[in-house]
Amino acid sequence: MKSPEEPRIIIALDYKDKISTLALVDQLEPSLCRLKVGKELFVRCGPDLVKILIDKGFDVFLDLKFHDIPNTVAAACQAAADMGVWMVNVHASGGRKMMEYAREAIQNNEHQPLLIGVTVLTSLNRQDIAEVGLDLEPADQVLRLAKLANDSGLDGVVCSPQEVSALKQEIGQNFCLVTPGVRPKGADIGDQQRIMTPSQALTSGSDYLVIGRPITAHNEPLKALKNIIEECQNI
Ligand code: C5P
């Protein structure tokens, strides 16, 4: 799925506007990183900004976590594929049919993004999921949804670095795992809870690392990115 040389770091562009987004992006290089556009930036700046990033040569992960009836999610994934994004995601809790429709919608497209599932949001604990009717450990639900995502033809899931080794073991090495919650040594932890360093996450088997503030809030973002890449090369 990935070669050792391809960029493994996805920078989370958690900005409010195009000017601040491009101020960062213009300091970066597509050979070193990929970019993630989430809900806030997309709602504010839309497909036009995504196209600008793609035209600059960057692979874009469109992190909109689609969750709706199968037909609607399939159409949204098709639209993302037409936009030329590299990765798009859907909530695995939308069910098998929704994920299969999403897969079918993009599989004949000329450009096929990686299709990734979201399992249990890391903001939810055992009590939170019990309140919505799931009386089980979040980790068990993560595994159940990751297996369902795999059976439904998805390429992988977003998960915490702590879940990586169990998921690779249960589902297989080719199942693509994308992990936020990554902090280089010495970086501010912020609101992240169960973190790993970039090299620990890659050693556990993570395929792509989503990193935001340790790079975007650094006074020299390119230097911060290169330091992380160097740390990862020494594993
Ligand atoms: O700044 P930071 O490195 O914490 O950014 C992480 C990015 O990954 C943010 O865009 C955040 O929304 C996203 N994310 C996360 N934890 C998850 C899923 C997504 O931090 N479980």
Side-chain angles (χ1 to χ4, degrees):
M1 185 169 285
K2 60 185 191 310
S3 79
E5 301 80 30
E6 71 163 301
R8 309 278 292 273
I9 295 172
I10 305 172
I11 301 184
L13 297 177
D14 292 324
Y15 291 105
K16 290 188 185 312
D17 57 65
K18 182 174 160 185
I19 291 177
S20 12
T21 304
L22 294 182
L24 174 85
V25 169
D26 287 339
Q27 299 176 57
L28 303 172
E29 293 164 26
S31 60
L32 298 180
C33 62
R34 297 177 153 104
L35 304 174
K36 178 172 91 68
V37 173
K39 287 189 172 83
E40 183 186 12
L41 187 59
F42 190 76
V43 171
R44 289 187 185 278
C45 300
D48 287 352
L49 180 59
V50 173
K51 283 184 192 135
I52 290 173
L53 302 174
I54 294 171
D55 287 346
K56 286 178 180 289
F58 288 94
D59 282 343
V60 173
F61 171 16
L62 189 65
D63 179 19
L64 298 183
K65 303 184 179 73
F66 297 133
H67 189 174
D68 210 312
I69 60 170
N71 200 49
T72 301
V73 167
C77 288
Q78 171 86 61
D82 291 342
M83 207 189 295
V85 303
W86 160 74
M87 178 182 279
V88 64
N89 58 2
V90 302
H91 270 282
S93 53
R96 180 188 295 274
K97 205 200 273 185
M98 189 202 81
M99 290 188 276
E100 285 176 351
Y101 271 47
R103 164 55 66 211
E104 278 165 29
I106 60 176
Q107 76 185 6
N108 296 322
N109 231 63
E110 191 183 333
H111 172 76
Q112 292 184 30
L114 287 170
L115 185 58
I116 298 293
V118 174
T119 57
V120 180
L121 294 171
T122 48
S123 52
L124 301 176
N125 62 25
R126 197 187 195 295
Q127 200 184 339
D128 296 320
I129 67 168
E131 231 170 24
V132 294
L134 294 170
D135 193 10
L136 76 180
E137 286 300 325
D140 294 337
Q141 180 68 355
V142 167
L143 185 56
R144 173 196 290 245
L145 288 176
K147 282 181 177 166
L148 182 63
N150 185 45
D151 288 349
S152 310
L154 265 58
D155 296 301
V157 291
V158 180
C159 65
S160 103
Q162 274 83 4
E163 292 155 358
V164 163
S165 54
L167 291 179
K168 286 278 184 187
Q169 217 171 351
E170 291 280 342
I171 300 179
Q173 293 305 313
N174 287 335
F175 195 58
C176 179
L177 299 180
V178 180
T179 57
V182 177
R183 286 289 176 272
K185 274 199 198 88
D188 194 357
I189 290 174
D191 52 2
Q192 293 287 5
Q193 306 236 354
R194 295 177 304 134
I195 55 162
M196 276 195 190
T197 66
S199 53
Q200 283 170 336
L202 291 178
T203 306
S204 312
S206 178
D207 295 286
Y208 298 106
L209 313 178
V210 175
I211 305 178
R213 289 159 290 178
I215 295 169
T216 57
H218 198 279
N219 53 8
E220 290 178 85
L222 183 60
K223 189 170 164 205
L225 171 63
K226 284 184 172 169
N227 285 344
I228 295 172
I229 294 171
E230 201 179 298
E231 181 202 317
C232 295
Q233 276 163 350
N234 297 329
I235 59 174

